[in-house]
Amino acid sequence: ALFRLRGGDWHESILRPSADEDCDEQCSIAVAPRPGTLAGEDVEYGQRGPTGSGYRNIIHALRVGDGSQHGTVTWTTKETGRSVRSFLMGQPDTEFILARAPLVRPAKNIPAERDKYQGPYLMRRHTGEPNLTSRFAAVYDAWPQGGKPLIDRVEWLTPEPSDSLCAAMRIHVGDRADLIYVSADDTPRRVGDITFSGPIAVASTQAGRTTWAYLYGSGSIEAPGLSLKGHPDFQAPLKRVLREEEEAGVNAFEVAADLTGDALSNVWLRIIHGDGSAHGYRIEDVQAIDGGSRLLIAGEPGFEMTSPGMKMLYPPHYEIPGPQQLEIARPAFAQADR
C-alpha cells in the first residue's frame, strides 16, 4: 500500500489491526513513553481536548519512536490467534507513534462501554514546511492461527532519478523476489538492472533471473531477457449514469466511444469528478448503443449527474461541480522465455 499526498505542513497515516478484539504487539522500532494523549501531552484520557482535536483525547498510552527508520509491526489477536505483519517504509521528519484506543465493535458503539474494550493504534506523522510531500508505504503479510508468515523480508529501494511521489520495494518470498514500482508520472527510472515507467509495475525474479512482469495502465518494463509495453489509458467524457433502482434496470455508464472490441470484462474503470476525486467500478460487460458504448458495472454507481456536475445519492450527499470523465487503465503481462 502506498499513500501519497502533497500540500499543507502536517500529514498523518493511521493503521489499526482487528476492530473486534485486542492484540499482542511486536515492534522492531525503539519507542519511548510520551505523556497525555494524541490531543496533547497535557490532555489525559477522556478529558476535553483543544477545539478540533476530535476523538484524539481517547487515543492514549503513547509510545513514540523515529519514523525515518524502516521497520515492522506484528499484531496477533488474543482470542482467535490471527496475525498481520506490517513492513513499514521510513520517511525523514516523521514520528512513529504506537498507542491504545477503544474498539467500536465490541462496545457496540455505546460511549459508556468504550473503556472496556481497547486495542492497538499506529500513527505515522510527517511535519515540515508548507506544500509538504509525504509517502506512507507499507507491505502487509497475514496468516491464521497455526499458520506462518509468507514474506521473508522487504527491501525499500530508491529509483533513479529519485522522485518524492515514487516508491519501489523488493519483496522476498523464498528464492523469489518481486520488485514493485509505483509512480505518479511516466518518467523512465532504473531500479537495479530494470527500467520502469508508468503508474504501477511489477517484475518478478527467481534465482536472479527475471521470470515475469506485470503493468497496470500505460508504461513499460525493460529487464534482462524480458520487455513489456503497457496499453494507453482510455479517457472520455461521461455521457450518462444508469441505475438499476431506477427505470433503466441496470447499473452502467455510457460514453461516446466504441469499446465493444476491447476485452474489458472484470477490468476496473474510474469516474473522475470535477475536483479530481474519483470512484472505481468493476466492468461486467460492454454493450454497443447508438453513438457509443454502455459499460455495465458491478454494484451501484452511488451518484447521479447534474447540470453543474454530480451529486452523491447516499450520505454525506455532497455535490461536486464540473465535468465527469470515465477512465480505463488495462493490465498487461509477459512471461520470460524458459
Side-chain angles (χ1 to χ4, degrees):
L2 178 61
F3 172 40
R4 298 173 293 189
L5 63 166
R6 175 176 288 160
D9 58 4
W10 183 295
H11 298 158
E12 294 174 341
S13 174
I14 298 166
L15 183 64
R16 298 204 64 178
S18 174
D20 297 296
E21 55 182 298
D22 197 2
C23 299
D24 292 321
E25 182 176 73
Q26 292 181 323
C27 178
S28 69
I29 296 175
V31 291
R34 173 181 288 174
T37 62
L38 274 186
E41 294 190 18
D42 57 346
V43 180
E44 297 301 321
Y45 180 82
Q47 292 182 349
R48 183 180 296 275
T51 301
S53 62
Y55 293 100
R56 292 174 179 239
N57 62 333
I58 56 174
I59 301 170
H60 63 115
L62 307 182
R63 290 163 292 147
V64 183
D66 179 9
S68 67
Q69 304 178 53
H70 306 319
T72 62
V73 176
T74 304
W75 288 307
T76 302
T77 55
K78 292 187 175 182
E79 296 179 19
T80 56
R82 299 167 181 160
S83 299
V84 61
R85 176 170 295 151
S86 303
F87 297 84
L88 305 170
M89 183 184 75
Q91 183 174 205
D93 303 316
T94 303
E95 279 190 320
F96 176 88
I97 304 171
L98 294 175
R100 302 279 292 172
L103 298 172
V104 174
R105 288 181 186 169
K108 296 180 172 56
N109 209 24
I110 301 172
E113 297 288 303
R114 74 185 185 194
D115 298 343
K116 297 181 181 179
Y117 306 97
Q118 301 275 322
Y121 184 100
L122 167 61
M123 173 183 282
R124 289 179 286 170
R125 176 188 287 160
H126 185 206
T127 57
E129 298 296 324
N131 203 32
L132 185 66
T133 298
S134 295
R135 294 175 302 168
F136 296 107
V139 175
Y140 305 113
D141 190 9
W143 59 95
Q145 186 176 37
K148 59 182 181 180
L150 174 69
I151 298 174
D152 296 320
R153 61 190 176 95
V154 174
E155 293 179 83
W156 298 101
L157 308 171
T158 302
E160 295 295 340
S162 62
D163 180 81
S164 59
L165 292 178
C166 182
M169 63 219 72
R170 183 179 284 115
I171 302 172
H172 293 265
V173 179
D175 65 349
R176 190 183 99 214
D178 294 340
L179 178 53
I180 302 174
Y181 169 88
V182 183
S183 175
D185 58 36
D186 291 326
T187 301
R189 295 184 177 87
R190 289 187 62 83
V191 183
D193 59 355
I194 302 177
T195 300
F196 296 95
S197 69
I200 301 174
V202 182
S204 184
T205 62
Q206 196 154 14
R209 175 178 170 270
T210 304
T211 55
W212 57 262
Y214 168 89
L215 280 168
Y216 182 73
S218 61
S220 64
I221 299 176
E222 297 294 336
L226 191 149
S227 179
L228 178 63
K229 300 291 184 184
H231 303 285
D233 294 344
F234 169 83
Q235 192 173 89
L238 179 63
K239 286 181 58 179
R240 190 181 178 199
V241 178
L242 302 176
R243 300 178 61 238
E244 189 173 30
E245 292 186 3
E246 298 175 342
E247 59 185 36
V250 294
N251 294 315
F253 300 116
E254 291 182 355
V255 292
D258 183 7
L259 298 174
T260 55
D262 295 338
L264 296 177
S265 178
N266 290 321
V267 173
W268 285 73
L269 64 83
R270 292 200 312 157
I271 299 298
I272 304 172
H273 306 298
D275 63 352
S277 64
H279 289 96
Y281 305 86
R282 181 171 60 84
I283 302 171
E284 292 191 327
D285 196 10
V286 181
Q287 299 175 346
I289 59 172
D290 186 23
S293 300
R294 175 178 295 168
L295 294 92
L296 305 182
I297 60 170
E300 159 72 46
F303 73 96
E304 64 181 3
M305 298 182 73
T306 64
S307 54
M310 64 84 78
K311 177 182 179 180
M312 290 301 296
L313 299 174
Y314 301 95
H317 297 287
Y318 57 77
E319 299 183 39
I320 300 174
Q324 319 291 300
Q325 294 286 318
L326 185 147
E327 180 185 78
I328 300 174
R330 292 179 292 166
F333 179 83
Q335 195 162 2
D337 296 332
R338 295 187 182 275

